[in-house]
Amino acid sequence: MFSKKSTWLASILLAALSGVSHAQINQTKGSFEDKFRQLDEVLPTPNVYRNAAGAPGHQYWQQKVDYKIDATLDEAKRHISASQTITYTNNSPDTLKYLWIQLDQNKFKNDSMSALTTTFGGIGNRGPATAAASGSSPAKMSLAALRRQHFVEDVELGYNIEKVALKRGQELSHVIVGTLMRVDLNKALKSGESVTFNIDFSFNIVEEDAVSARAGYEHFPDDEREGGNDIFLLAQWFPRLAAYTDYEAWTNKEFIGRGEFTLEFGDYEVNLTVPADHIVSATGELTNPRDVLTSTQRKRLKEAEDAKRPVFVVTEEEALENEKEGTTKTKTWTFKAKNVRDFAWASSRKFMWDAKGYQQGGDVQPLVMAMSFYPKEGGDLWKKYSTESVVHTMDVYSRFSFDYPYPVAQSVNGPVGGMEYPMITFNGPRTELQDDGERTYSLAEKRFLIGVVIHEVGHIYFPMIVNSDERQWTWMDEGLNSFLDGVAGREWDPTIPWGVEPADITDYMASSTQVPIMTQSDSVLRLGPNAYTKPAAALNILRETIMGRELFDFAFKEYAQRWMYKRPTPSDFFRTMEEASGIDLDWFWRGWFYSTDHVDISLDSVYKLRLDTKDPDIDFDRQRQDYNDKPLSLTDERNKAEGKTLWVDRNKDVSDFYDENDMFTVTNKDRNSYQSFLKGLKPWEKTAFERAVEEDKNYYVFEFSNLGGLVMPVIFEMTFEDGSKEMVRIPAEIWRRTPKKVQKLIVTDKDQVLVSVEVDPRWETADVDVNNNHYPRKIIESRLEAYKSSSSKSKVRRDLMQEVKTKLKTDEDDSDDDSEGSN
């Protein structure tokens, strides 16, 4: 089963025992690639703003931006009009002559960079279209794509900036550049100074289902099943200051759609005027509940603070009553939020509202109100799982980072599949109304809701508090958050596939569409596996396989607490994880984040060696047995079967010395050489040698190839003849001198006979090809499905003589068909 020793293998054993690998000896000149080269030559040089430990430096700074906003929702026109007062404080050491403001709604304009650079089909394009193939096959465009075209043509989109002026009324010169606006200050803003100015603006709200946005309205058709109302989700809805940073200055990169946002922290006071029968959820605390809630609703909200299960603040019956009629009256909901980087809100008369107090204790925010807002379409799915998922997320995430610092955490149902903002998240899964009036949901929808709520509420920690640059490095919020939502998810129910295991990323890592994780967001070919799954799997591997939970959890929490309410970069994360754990991870960051290498460690050979005793009376007999232990020649076997007699058997009278002795016959010369060898050993050498001979252990040499290029720990399980197993874990540093091929010597007791070996048996390392992980190789099992060949005649030939006889169906015919087919 395993190769036996030979002169060449003896040299391997000798090299292994002397600490030198055979692969090192035979390395080709010039082929060496240092997979463990230090990353400092790539990372930014530490400075007074960001130090070498990955922490904020002693002169770290960031800007502060405060907003006061008065906004009105015109439900009939689906239109927002607003006025905002912005106070910008320059904490940087620089003098600023102008400010850059993000105008994200301009992305939806026909002449935006996003619109003009959208391709027809192709990788990374959300648009459901495929270009024409060669031959006669037509190109394809979905009805959804046509719907989007029509909406953009029919509705004027983007901001109408009506005024930009100082608080005293003096207008400020401004220039709109796509999704950005430069505001030129009348007086340069020096370090430590503040400026206050106003912006009046308005825009038409996009229909989310039509344009596939991160926010917008959803209309429920005017029919018996659904009623007729809207849900409004408002995000990226007001002009927001672009970030000014120590590492990039103004982060004024065009918003194309995929790369999300980079924002400054500040305090918000927002007045939202909406139809009087609407319920509003928003970033921050509601400061005027007496103006917008009934006394009963306020009492329910108070009762929810210490309830075991969510309490309805607005019941389903109240929401259904609100749906029956609209109103021309309005109410103004006022929200205040401190130290947040953004503000989002939702409004609808369809909302029911439940709440539950999360008693997290501590000094930061002992009570957090977890709340959910959803229409009847949410059904029991939302009633049972939304708010409970919010609470579970905070419970788990806080262990890995810091106490949740805000007074509320909310989950809102609407047309957006999943998006996050400070204190509020948008989540899409729903129930489906059946013909019998019951609302049901699939297992997939249940898992989707729990998973998306955990993920989006987790984003309130990363990046809403640990404020990474989403537009530049998507993985810093999506990857870290996906890792943590996997931790939280498996503490909820490990049978749900959370998609963050190493095996979940192997197909992508072996694909031709992989790009480095460090690629800027808008240039990533496949965002999901690149920014979510791969970094999440990488961190999972760090925690469970490379660093261990204790070191990883300490370092990760240190990173979160260092950068709470601050803006980290990748180098700050990499350096903190190393500095706080004491482990050099440069090889890991370089391979997983800066390259497109993949993991494919092949176990090529296993050699079983036995130590020579040097005693010719023992070793020569072993060599004779090895020599004779070979298959009988096919010729000799057939000669014997045919009854042929050998010459030596027919002429036994002719013989000599060698008929009784062979090459393995021991002579006194051999014995004298053995004695001379023993006498020539130093005492410690003789002790070591004689002990090794007496123990007579098994020496196994394992030969591994790194076929994928990504160095990783070598993990393998040995199975012995008696059924026992032993796991061996070798750090990735074994590849430091020979990154393509290594050999490893493993010594076992004499009675432990090795029968098989498997590399990475628990699928810990994201190895893309597990078939070469076995020695001896395993038979590869798969499935075979029989199918019936379809005739091509129906596709090419039409029997028009028969088809013209077909009767044209009416709506009544369709109804009859449906009735006949129903149970």
Side-chain angles (χ1 to χ4, degrees), residues 802-820:
Q802 178 63 25
E803 290 181 12
V804 296
K805 303 175 186 177
T806 305
K807 178 184 176 182
L808 182 65
K809 286 187 176 183
T810 66
D811 292 341
E812 292 182 359
D813 294 329
D814 290 336
S815 299
D816 292 340
D817 291 344
D818 293 340
S819 299
E820 292 172 4

Side-chain angles (χ1 to χ4, degrees), residues 591-609:
W592 276 85
F593 289 77
Y594 286 87
S595 84
T596 55
D597 289 345
H598 60 268
V599 183
D600 185 5
I601 297 175
S602 171
L603 177 55
D604 299 330
S605 303
V606 180
Y607 303 101
K608 180 182 179 183
L609 311 178

